[in-house]
Amino acid sequence: MKQRITVFSILNLVLMLCVVVITLYPFLYMLAVSLSESTFVMKGAVTWYPKGFNLDMYKLVLKDSRIMKGFLNTILYTALGTAVSLIITAFGAYAITKKEMIFTKGFTLMVVITLFFSGGMIPTFLVVKSYGLMDTVWAMVLPNAVNSWNLLVMCSFFRGIPKEIEESGKMDGLNDIAIALRIVFPMSKAVFTAIGLFTMVGLWNDFFTPLLYLRDVNLFPLSVVLRNIMLAGQMASEATSSQGDAIVSESLKYAVLMVSILPILLLYPFLQKYFDKGVWVGSIKG
């Protein structure tokens, strides 16, 4: 069937192209500056593609032990935090969907209230400190382990699974935990992937949590290491007031940013097909 080209489709195409250009240009500019020679950067001749291609800034970044340490810490926090968050969120959401459980409505109401009201930064800080989590890996994982919105999306997805499937599991002698692990969760890969991606990106880019709870430089994630490097570069360029040093600092900053965002960008295409299905199904059936 031949598709008609309408005014709306043309305007839609133009609008989407504008959005793509606006979204991609900052990344292309950062990549171009980080891969260009300092002379072209100094002249302001770099736009969206590199001039005088070289990898000096990336070699400098990858040789820095602070960045590699921060990179490994970020991978640890992201992997552990995503796993803990998915486990707690999945079992919490599954329990709330069970009408036979006592106080189901009360627990649901408590979750909904936290969407609008939070304890605040200082009470949360005092709770983390009182449990001895300061300067530990768990300070990056436990305070944000459960997101109320993600829990409600997962609840909606679980409610969409036919009850007859769970009843067949009970007839085979399975208890509620076995039904969740062997029937419900394997059928919910889409929502697990979507929520996992949300959590993963949030943990990877988290900057505020380590500033609050971490003091040991060996535990700093990549975001804090980058911030320290950028502040040090800015102070150095202000102290020397040398244009060449400022250009190198700018190129180094963009190279560090590209190294930090590249892993999460490469991961997204592999999860995109599950991401769409999980978000749409989980939101519509609520």
Side-chain angles (χ1 to χ4, degrees):
M1 182 178 179
K2 189 175 181 180
Q3 190 174 5
R4 291 181 56 190
I5 299 176
T6 62
V7 175
F8 175 76
S9 62
I10 295 174
L11 290 176
N12 197 18
L13 177 63
V14 172
L15 179 63
M16 288 298 104
L17 287 175
C18 291
V19 172
V20 169
V21 170
I22 293 171
T23 306
L24 282 182
Y25 183 74
F27 292 98
L28 293 177
Y29 179 73
M30 287 193 300
L31 183 63
V33 172
S34 64
L35 291 173
S36 299
E37 286 187 0
S38 58
T39 52
F40 293 101
V41 179
M42 194 181 303
K43 293 177 183 176
V46 180
T47 53
W48 59 275
Y49 61 92
K51 291 186 176 181
F53 183 84
N54 74 83
L55 298 172
D56 293 345
M57 291 300 116
Y58 288 92
K59 292 177 182 175
L60 199 62
V61 169
L62 296 178
K63 284 181 181 176
D64 194 320
S65 60
R66 295 174 299 172
I67 291 178
M68 293 311 296
K69 183 68 177 176
F71 199 77
L72 293 176
N73 285 337
T74 302
I75 292 174
L76 173 64
Y77 301 149
T78 303
L80 183 62
T82 303
V84 171
S85 178
L86 282 178
I87 292 171
I88 297 177
T89 303
F91 278 104
Y94 181 72
I96 287 178
T97 58
K98 301 290 106 178
K99 293 181 179 178
E100 57 270 24
M101 187 183 79
I102 59 173
F103 304 129
T104 300
K105 292 184 179 179
F107 284 124
T108 305
L109 182 62
M110 290 169 62
V111 172
V112 172
I113 288 175
T114 59
L115 289 173
F116 305 98
F117 305 99
S118 67
M121 183 181 69
I122 294 176
T124 307
F125 177 84
L126 293 176
V127 169
V128 172
K129 187 177 180 181
S130 66
Y131 279 102
L133 298 177
M134 296 289 291
D135 264 342
T136 66
V137 173
W138 298 108
M140 289 293 297
V141 174
L142 295 181
N144 301 313
V146 179
N147 180 287
S148 301
W149 178 260
N150 293 343
L151 190 142
L152 292 177
V153 169
M154 199 169 277
C155 278
S156 300
F157 196 97
F158 291 161
R159 288 194 181 104
I161 296 176
K163 298 298 178 187
E164 292 78 9
I165 297 178
E166 295 186 40
E167 290 173 358
S168 65
K170 288 183 179 178
M171 292 176 65
D172 289 336
L174 299 178
N175 57 27
D176 287 332
I177 296 178
I179 291 174
L181 292 175
R182 300 174 64 176
I183 297 177
V184 177
F185 293 172
M187 295 179 65
S188 309
K189 290 179 182 176
V191 75
F192 271 84
T193 307
I195 301 299
L197 184 61
F198 281 142
T199 308
M200 193 183 302
V201 173
L203 288 168
W204 186 272
N205 294 323
D206 192 4
F207 173 72
F208 196 62
T209 304
L211 282 183
L212 278 178
Y213 304 131
L214 299 181
R215 301 291 179 269
D216 186 353
V217 293
N218 293 317
L219 293 175
F220 283 169
L222 190 59
S223 57
V224 177
V225 173
L226 298 182
R227 173 249 189 190
N228 293 341
I229 290 175
M230 289 181 186
L231 284 179
Q234 185 178 3
M235 293 174 63
S237 62
E238 288 175 355
T240 57
S241 68
S242 167
Q243 190 178 9
D245 289 343
I247 297 299
V248 171
S249 173
E250 197 74 2
S251 300
L252 179 63
K253 180 171 69 178
Y254 288 151
V256 170
L257 286 174
M258 291 307 300
V259 169
S260 67
I261 64 176
L262 196 58
I264 207 73
L265 288 179
L266 292 177
L267 186 63
Y268 181 77
F270 298 100
L271 303 177
Q272 196 265 341
K273 61 179 180 179
Y274 299 106
F275 180 78
D276 289 345
K277 185 180 177 183
V279 172
W280 281 107
V281 174
S283 59
I284 289 173
K285 292 186 176 178

